[in-house]
Amino acid sequence: MTKIIQISDPHIVPHGQLAYDRVDTAPPLAECVGTINRMLPRIGPIDMAIVTGDLTDFGSAEEYQRFRDLMAPLEVPYRVIPGNHDNIDAMRTSFGDQTWMPKSGPINWVQEFSNLALIGLDSSVAGQSHGHLSARTLAFLKESLDAMASKTVLVAMHHPPFPTGKHKMDIQNLRDSSDLGEILSAYRGELRLICGHVHRNIVSLFGNVICQIAPGTSHAVTMDLRPDAPNCLTREPGAFLLHETRSGLISHNIPIGQFDGPWLFYPDRG
């Protein structure tokens, strides 16, 4: 049984600053790491964690160092992919000591486990908020899947390829997604696409593939489905996802923090 934790959109800012002049994003990420570590005896062992983009708010070297410092206590190995708030050159430099980080080009990588493979894709576009997969990234994905036979696969990227009903976010989603859909739909094994960007737990079909968006660690895109809704954030509780293989892939939403319990439902019955 393989278990992958998905953390998304921490938006770490420099010391003394707030994201959007509103959110202190560092303590929630630290609490996320603490929550995972506390829960490991109950949910582990965890094979790997992935952070699905927007590690930082402005893509600076200072922010990446702060992100790595906050993640350092995590008791499981982790990898990252970029989002639209990231800078792949600064990210590559910051993670240059990691063997999985490509030396050049898009930040794409593969990690195989006994019964599952995790594929990380770079959907970032320099200077833009929307996502796009380059021809090089699409070729990387196809070659990786061709080598998997029928192993269960998680494909991770930052930008979701389907509309969520939040117009101001949907215009920033993945563009030109038809080639991606064809590649994923042709895979013969079980496959799930996991994303970030919208800071909410949202599930939809993309072609014949389940696509799941992860919540953010510190704030959410406001739940407002009106066509003219402004682009706003809400300080809702953060969460992360746990993806695991059982009879098939299943995913759990786990809130960040410490909560009252656990309590037996019927303590008198043993």
Side-chain angles (χ1 to χ4, degrees):
M1 182 186 302
T2 304
K3 298 182 179 182
I4 305 294
I5 279 177
Q6 182 186 1
I7 301 167
S8 203
D9 296 89
H11 284 263
I12 297 304
V13 295
H15 287 277
Q17 294 187 25
L18 301 177
Y20 310 104
D21 295 322
R22 183 69 59 176
V23 186
D24 188 358
T25 54
L29 180 58
E31 190 170 20
C32 177
V33 169
T35 299
I36 294 168
N37 288 344
R38 286 194 307 271
M39 294 190 71
L40 280 176
R42 286 185 281 160
I43 66 172
I46 303 297
D47 295 274
M48 182 168 286
I50 179 172
V51 185
T52 46
D54 285 358
L55 283 61
T56 68
D57 214 29
F58 300 106
S60 70
E62 178 185 355
E63 290 170 317
Y64 286 114
Q65 184 57 57
R66 193 179 189 197
F67 171 84
R68 291 200 66 174
D69 291 344
L70 290 162
M71 291 290 288
L74 185 66
E75 295 174 8
V76 297
Y78 75 92
R79 294 190 183 187
V80 302
I81 53 173
N84 52 290
H85 281 257
D86 289 308
N87 178 303
I88 65 169
D89 293 328
M91 181 186 288
R92 195 187 323 275
T93 298
S94 178
F95 289 90
D97 60 331
Q98 301 297 305
T99 58
W100 52 264
M101 174 59 73
K103 300 300 183 185
S104 62
I107 297 179
N108 302 321
W109 48 260
V110 178
Q111 175 64 48
E112 290 196 60
F113 304 95
S114 60
N115 64 342
L116 179 140
L118 177 61
I119 302 176
L121 300 180
D122 184 344
S123 63
S124 66
V125 180
Q128 301 294 325
S129 296
H130 70 270
H132 175 75
L133 297 177
S134 67
R136 183 172 174 179
T137 294
L138 289 169
F140 175 87
L141 173 63
K142 186 176 187 307
E143 291 169 5
S144 299
L145 289 176
D146 287 346
M148 296 298 168
S150 59
K151 179 178 286 188
T152 299
V153 177
L154 283 175
V155 176
M157 62 185 187
H158 181 68
H159 297 82
F162 64 89
T164 65
K166 298 171 182 59
H167 176 68
K168 290 294 196 302
M169 293 299 295
D170 288 341
I171 60 177
Q172 301 176 12
N173 282 353
L174 188 77
R175 298 183 183 176
D176 308 313
S177 60
S178 58
D179 288 342
L180 172 67
E182 290 179 8
I183 293 170
L184 297 182
S185 295
Y187 186 65
R188 296 184 178 275
E190 183 176 11
L191 184 149
R192 184 170 301 179
L193 181 62
I194 57 175
C195 306
H197 191 55
V198 190
H199 295 232
R200 304 199 73 87
N201 188 352
I202 303 172
V203 181
S204 180
L205 278 176
F206 174 59
N208 63 359
V209 173
I210 294 173
C211 178
Q212 183 156 16
I213 302 172
T217 54
S218 62
H219 58 278
V221 173
T222 301
M223 187 62 187
D224 191 336
L225 299 178
R226 295 173 295 177
D228 58 348
N231 205 12
C232 297
L233 66 86
T234 301
R235 291 295 308 276
E236 295 180 15
F240 59 92
L241 299 180
L242 169 62
H243 307 288
E244 62 171 342
T245 55
R246 289 186 179 268
S247 55
L249 268 174
I250 64 171
S251 300
H252 310 266
N253 184 85
I254 302 177
I256 294 169
Q258 290 186 293
F259 306 95
D260 192 23
W263 302 102
L264 290 173
F265 284 111
Y266 302 104
D268 295 337
R269 299 182 187 179

